[in-house]
Amino acid sequence: MLQEALREIQRGSAEIIDMPRVETLLKAYFIEGKTYTVKAGFDPTAPDLHLGHTVLLQKLATFQKYGARIQFLIGDFTAQIGDPTGKSATRKTLSQADILENAKSYKEQVFKILDASKTDVVFNSEWINPLGASGMLTLTTTYNVARMLERDDFDKRYKSGVSISISEFIYPLLQGYDSVHLKSDIEIGGTDQKFNLLMGRYLQRAYEIGKEQSVLMMPILEGLDGVQKMSKSLGNYIGVTEAPNDMFGKILSISDELMWRYYELLSAKSLDAIEALKNGVADGSLHPKTIKEDLAMEIVARFHSNAAANAAKEEFDNVHAKSQIPTDIEEFECDGAVWIAKALVDCNIAPSTSQARRDIKQGAVKIDQEKISDEQLQLDKGEYILQVGKRKFAKLKVN
RNA sequence: GGUGAGAUAGUCAAGUGGCCAACGACGGCGGACUGUAAAUCCGCUCCCUACGGGUUCAGAGGUUCGACUCCUCUUCUCACCA
């Protein structure tokens, strides 16, 4: 049981610092039922969570399964500085109302994964504000510039002469101080957070709180392309609030290789079960596609429902495997006869009439399942199902 | 503040007076094959009811029969110096 727990905790992690203490904590839980705390910090900016974020959340959920109380920290104070990525120097400060609003929508999304009864949502302004100037000063005496410059991006910027604001030095210190205040036993974060995470460990020692947090770092999840990290700006993400059908489709579009990565980091299946699947695919007894469907179902079910997952699968089969028409198509109307190219543009399934003509020429356009080739076709009165390629559909009613 | 280099389509990047709606690469889209995967192959990739027309190469002027290409100014970017 303990071994199983430790394996699940280590699963997919990039690096764990002070694993022995994690073992001690778990042992204490299994033997005496003693709980411990796991901290994770989040930005109070608009939470539009995607699967990349859920990697961390699921790790937290695993900890909850094994006796942890989660300190879900919303960095409302630290957000005023912004984690020094060197990209944008200043951030706009959020109003109290905005922060509360964002926190609320965080909760809606996050508690689909986390057990709310074992989670404390905390804001770091709560203890950082009372710190005052003197408290802040004390904090800064714990560290020095040379060590601060150990941080990779500081080092690079310093050497290449890019400006580093003093306030950016404060950021890691404050994040570390959060761990002091919360007396966290473990903190988890992405690999990019290593310096800050270790700062918590260091400051807990400096403030003599009698423990030093262990640190668990999770890798950054690759996006749909399998190469770059999942992020909204790159457009290779799957948002947790996306519609079931979209979610399902996106997961099915990932490569087989990436699928295993997603299994490891996102699935609730045990490592043994996943291993069995891998073997099955390797010896040909299992088809990769069904495995991928299972993953897609699992994830859709997590953020929506089992029913939604089943529906998404069915829809997907209809549309793609049997190449039928999806049930839910956008509808448009127009008056009088229309030229087909124009109609495709009006229905938002072609960007321009030029493109529409090209599509027709290439045999990509279908009306009511029939391929067409006449660029000059006029649509008379009636209802039509227009299709460009395999995925773009629209229903058009000509009056 | 000084000097030099540069700005070309979604991105990178050719083109240094007509052969330019502009090589190529990537991306994207479509087709074949499939498992809406990967790999591969083929086609397309400014707009317009189109064997034609229109608007493009940072912006504004100018030279020229003709400009992405030459000149002037403006804006912005980068490098070196201070």
Short mmCIF file of all heavy atoms in Angstrom, two decimals, chain A residues 366-394:
data_model
loop_
_atom_site.label_atom_id
_atom_site.label_comp_id
_atom_site.label_asym_id
_atom_site.label_seq_id
_atom_site.Cartn_x
_atom_site.Cartn_y
_atom_site.Cartn_z
N LYS A 366 -18.77 19.43 -50.74
CA LYS A 366 -19.91 18.53 -50.93
C LYS A 366 -21.20 19.23 -50.55
O LYS A 366 -21.22 20.01 -49.60
CB LYS A 366 -19.77 17.28 -50.06
CG LYS A 366 -18.66 16.36 -50.52
CD LYS A 366 -18.61 15.16 -49.61
CE LYS A 366 -17.40 14.30 -49.92
NZ LYS A 366 -17.17 13.31 -48.86
N ILE A 367 -22.23 18.93 -51.30
CA ILE A 367 -23.57 19.40 -50.94
C ILE A 367 -24.41 18.16 -50.73
O ILE A 367 -24.51 17.32 -51.62
CB ILE A 367 -24.18 20.26 -52.06
CG1 ILE A 367 -23.35 21.53 -52.25
CG2 ILE A 367 -25.63 20.62 -51.70
CD1 ILE A 367 -23.82 22.40 -53.38
N ASP A 368 -24.98 18.06 -49.55
CA ASP A 368 -25.77 16.87 -49.20
C ASP A 368 -25.01 15.60 -49.55
O ASP A 368 -25.53 14.70 -50.20
CB ASP A 368 -27.13 16.89 -49.92
CG ASP A 368 -27.97 18.08 -49.47
OD1 ASP A 368 -27.83 18.51 -48.32
OD2 ASP A 368 -28.74 18.59 -50.30
N GLN A 369 -23.76 15.55 -49.17
CA GLN A 369 -22.90 14.36 -49.34
C GLN A 369 -22.41 14.14 -50.77
O GLN A 369 -21.65 13.22 -51.01
CB GLN A 369 -23.64 13.08 -48.90
CG GLN A 369 -24.27 13.18 -47.55
CD GLN A 369 -23.37 12.65 -46.46
OE1 GLN A 369 -22.22 13.02 -46.35
NE2 GLN A 369 -23.90 11.75 -45.65
N GLU A 370 -22.89 14.98 -51.69
CA GLU A 370 -22.47 14.79 -53.07
C GLU A 370 -21.36 15.75 -53.42
O GLU A 370 -21.49 16.96 -53.25
CB GLU A 370 -23.66 15.04 -54.02
CG GLU A 370 -24.78 14.03 -53.92
CD GLU A 370 -24.37 12.67 -54.47
OE1 GLU A 370 -23.60 12.62 -55.45
OE2 GLU A 370 -24.83 11.66 -53.89
N LYS A 371 -20.28 15.21 -53.92
CA LYS A 371 -19.16 16.05 -54.33
C LYS A 371 -19.60 16.92 -55.51
O LYS A 371 -20.29 16.44 -56.41
CB LYS A 371 -18.01 15.15 -54.76
CG LYS A 371 -16.66 15.81 -54.67
CD LYS A 371 -15.55 14.82 -54.97
CE LYS A 371 -14.99 14.15 -53.72
NZ LYS A 371 -13.77 13.37 -53.96
N ILE A 372 -19.22 18.16 -55.51
CA ILE A 372 -19.56 19.00 -56.66
C ILE A 372 -18.30 19.51 -57.35
O ILE A 372 -17.23 19.55 -56.74
CB ILE A 372 -20.43 20.21 -56.25
CG1 ILE A 372 -19.66 21.11 -55.28
CG2 ILE A 372 -21.75 19.78 -55.67
CD1 ILE A 372 -20.17 22.52 -55.24
N SER A 373 -18.45 19.90 -58.60
CA SER A 373 -17.27 20.37 -59.33
C SER A 373 -17.55 21.67 -60.07
O SER A 373 -16.65 22.28 -60.61
CB SER A 373 -16.82 19.30 -60.33
OG SER A 373 -17.92 18.96 -61.16
N ASP A 374 -18.81 22.07 -60.06
CA ASP A 374 -19.18 23.27 -60.80
C ASP A 374 -19.04 24.52 -59.95
O ASP A 374 -19.80 24.73 -59.01
CB ASP A 374 -20.63 23.12 -61.29
CG ASP A 374 -21.08 24.35 -62.07
OD1 ASP A 374 -20.20 25.17 -62.42
OD2 ASP A 374 -22.29 24.48 -62.32
N GLU A 375 -18.05 25.33 -60.27
CA GLU A 375 -17.81 26.54 -59.50
C GLU A 375 -18.95 27.55 -59.64
O GLU A 375 -19.09 28.45 -58.84
CB GLU A 375 -16.54 27.25 -60.00
CG GLU A 375 -15.27 26.53 -59.67
CD GLU A 375 -14.10 27.22 -60.33
OE1 GLU A 375 -14.14 28.45 -60.49
OE2 GLU A 375 -13.13 26.52 -60.69
N GLN A 376 -19.68 27.41 -60.71
CA GLN A 376 -20.70 28.41 -61.00
C GLN A 376 -22.07 28.06 -60.43
O GLN A 376 -23.03 28.79 -60.61
CB GLN A 376 -20.83 28.61 -62.52
CG GLN A 376 -19.56 29.09 -63.18
CD GLN A 376 -19.08 30.41 -62.61
OE1 GLN A 376 -19.88 31.23 -62.18
NE2 GLN A 376 -17.77 30.60 -62.60
N LEU A 377 -22.13 26.92 -59.78
CA LEU A 377 -23.40 26.42 -59.28
C LEU A 377 -24.18 27.47 -58.49
O LEU A 377 -23.63 28.17 -57.64
CB LEU A 377 -23.15 25.21 -58.39
CG LEU A 377 -24.39 24.42 -57.97
CD1 LEU A 377 -24.99 23.70 -59.15
CD2 LEU A 377 -24.02 23.46 -56.87
N GLN A 378 -25.46 27.55 -58.80
CA GLN A 378 -26.34 28.44 -58.06
C GLN A 378 -27.23 27.58 -57.17
O GLN A 378 -27.73 26.55 -57.61
CB GLN A 378 -27.23 29.24 -59.02
CG GLN A 378 -26.48 30.20 -59.93
CD GLN A 378 -25.95 31.41 -59.20
OE1 GLN A 378 -26.56 31.89 -58.26
NE2 GLN A 378 -24.80 31.91 -59.64
N LEU A 379 -27.40 28.00 -55.93
CA LEU A 379 -28.28 27.27 -55.04
C LEU A 379 -29.66 27.90 -55.08
O LEU A 379 -29.81 29.08 -54.76
CB LEU A 379 -27.72 27.29 -53.62
CG LEU A 379 -26.38 26.59 -53.43
CD1 LEU A 379 -25.92 26.73 -52.00
CD2 LEU A 379 -26.47 25.13 -53.82
N ASP A 380 -30.62 27.11 -55.48
CA ASP A 380 -31.99 27.62 -55.50
C ASP A 380 -32.64 27.37 -54.16
O ASP A 380 -32.03 26.85 -53.24
CB ASP A 380 -32.79 26.91 -56.61
CG ASP A 380 -32.19 27.24 -57.97
OD1 ASP A 380 -31.71 28.37 -58.13
OD2 ASP A 380 -32.18 26.35 -58.85
N LYS A 381 -33.88 27.71 -54.11
CA LYS A 381 -34.67 27.54 -52.90
C LYS A 381 -34.55 26.12 -52.34
O LYS A 381 -34.61 25.14 -53.08
CB LYS A 381 -36.15 27.80 -53.27
CG LYS A 381 -36.99 28.16 -52.11
CD LYS A 381 -38.31 28.71 -52.61
CE LYS A 381 -39.16 29.13 -51.43
NZ LYS A 381 -40.33 29.87 -51.80
N GLY A 382 -34.37 26.04 -51.06
CA GLY A 382 -34.28 24.72 -50.45
C GLY A 382 -33.29 24.69 -49.30
O GLY A 382 -32.71 25.72 -48.95
N GLU A 383 -33.11 23.52 -48.73
CA GLU A 383 -32.16 23.38 -47.63
C GLU A 383 -31.00 22.51 -48.05
O GLU A 383 -31.20 21.47 -48.68
CB GLU A 383 -32.86 22.75 -46.41
CG GLU A 383 -33.49 23.77 -45.51
CD GLU A 383 -33.90 23.19 -44.17
OE1 GLU A 383 -33.17 22.31 -43.66
OE2 GLU A 383 -34.93 23.61 -43.65
N TYR A 384 -29.81 22.96 -47.71
CA TYR A 384 -28.64 22.22 -48.13
C TYR A 384 -27.69 22.01 -46.96
O TYR A 384 -27.59 22.84 -46.07
CB TYR A 384 -27.87 22.99 -49.21
CG TYR A 384 -28.70 23.34 -50.41
CD1 TYR A 384 -29.37 24.56 -50.47
CD2 TYR A 384 -28.81 22.45 -51.48
CE1 TYR A 384 -30.14 24.89 -51.58
CE2 TYR A 384 -29.57 22.78 -52.59
CZ TYR A 384 -30.24 24.00 -52.63
OH TYR A 384 -30.99 24.31 -53.72
N ILE A 385 -27.01 20.87 -47.00
CA ILE A 385 -25.92 20.66 -46.07
C ILE A 385 -24.64 20.89 -46.85
O ILE A 385 -24.35 20.16 -47.80
CB ILE A 385 -25.91 19.21 -45.53
CG1 ILE A 385 -27.25 18.83 -44.93
CG2 ILE A 385 -24.76 19.03 -44.56
CD1 ILE A 385 -27.46 19.28 -43.53
N LEU A 386 -23.91 21.92 -46.48
CA LEU A 386 -22.68 22.23 -47.18
C LEU A 386 -21.50 21.69 -46.38
O LEU A 386 -21.50 21.71 -45.15
CB LEU A 386 -22.52 23.75 -47.33
CG LEU A 386 -23.69 24.49 -47.97
CD1 LEU A 386 -23.42 25.98 -48.01
CD2 LEU A 386 -23.94 23.96 -49.37
N GLN A 387 -20.50 21.21 -47.11
CA GLN A 387 -19.34 20.64 -46.44
C GLN A 387 -18.08 20.99 -47.20
O GLN A 387 -18.02 20.88 -48.43
CB GLN A 387 -19.51 19.11 -46.37
CG GLN A 387 -18.36 18.42 -45.69
CD GLN A 387 -18.54 16.91 -45.68
OE1 GLN A 387 -19.55 16.39 -46.15
NE2 GLN A 387 -17.57 16.20 -45.13
N VAL A 388 -17.07 21.43 -46.46
CA VAL A 388 -15.76 21.66 -47.06
C VAL A 388 -14.77 20.76 -46.34
O VAL A 388 -14.64 20.83 -45.13
CB VAL A 388 -15.31 23.13 -46.92
CG1 VAL A 388 -13.90 23.30 -47.48
CG2 VAL A 388 -16.28 24.06 -47.63
N GLY A 389 -14.09 19.95 -47.08
CA GLY A 389 -13.14 19.03 -46.46
C GLY A 389 -13.89 18.04 -45.60
O GLY A 389 -15.05 17.74 -45.84
N LYS A 390 -13.19 17.54 -44.59
CA LYS A 390 -13.83 16.53 -43.77
C LYS A 390 -14.50 17.11 -42.54
O LYS A 390 -15.31 16.47 -41.91
CB LYS A 390 -12.77 15.52 -43.30
CG LYS A 390 -12.30 14.62 -44.41
CD LYS A 390 -11.10 13.83 -43.95
CE LYS A 390 -10.50 13.08 -45.12
NZ LYS A 390 -9.13 12.67 -44.85
N ARG A 391 -14.12 18.30 -42.20
CA ARG A 391 -14.55 18.78 -40.89
C ARG A 391 -15.49 19.98 -40.88
O ARG A 391 -16.08 20.27 -39.86
CB ARG A 391 -13.32 19.19 -40.06
CG ARG A 391 -12.33 18.10 -39.97
CD ARG A 391 -11.20 18.53 -39.09
NE ARG A 391 -10.04 17.69 -39.36
CZ ARG A 391 -8.94 17.72 -38.64
NH1 ARG A 391 -8.83 18.55 -37.65
NH2 ARG A 391 -7.93 16.93 -38.92
N LYS A 392 -15.55 20.69 -41.98
CA LYS A 392 -16.33 21.92 -41.91
C LYS A 392 -17.72 21.73 -42.52
O LYS A 392 -17.85 21.39 -43.69
CB LYS A 392 -15.57 23.04 -42.62
CG LYS A 392 -14.43 23.57 -41.76
CD LYS A 392 -13.60 24.59 -42.49
CE LYS A 392 -12.68 23.90 -43.48
NZ LYS A 392 -11.65 24.77 -44.06
N PHE A 393 -18.70 21.94 -41.70
CA PHE A 393 -20.08 21.75 -42.12
C PHE A 393 -20.91 23.01 -41.88
O PHE A 393 -20.61 23.79 -40.98
CB PHE A 393 -20.73 20.63 -41.33
CG PHE A 393 -20.14 19.28 -41.57
CD1 PHE A 393 -19.07 18.84 -40.79
CD2 PHE A 393 -20.63 18.47 -42.57
CE1 PHE A 393 -18.52 17.58 -41.02
CE2 PHE A 393 -20.08 17.22 -42.80
CZ PHE A 393 -19.02 16.77 -42.02
N ALA A 394 -21.96 23.15 -42.65
CA ALA A 394 -22.94 24.20 -42.39
C ALA A 394 -24.24 23.82 -43.07
O ALA A 394 -24.25 23.11 -44.08
CB ALA A 394 -22.43 25.54 -42.91
#
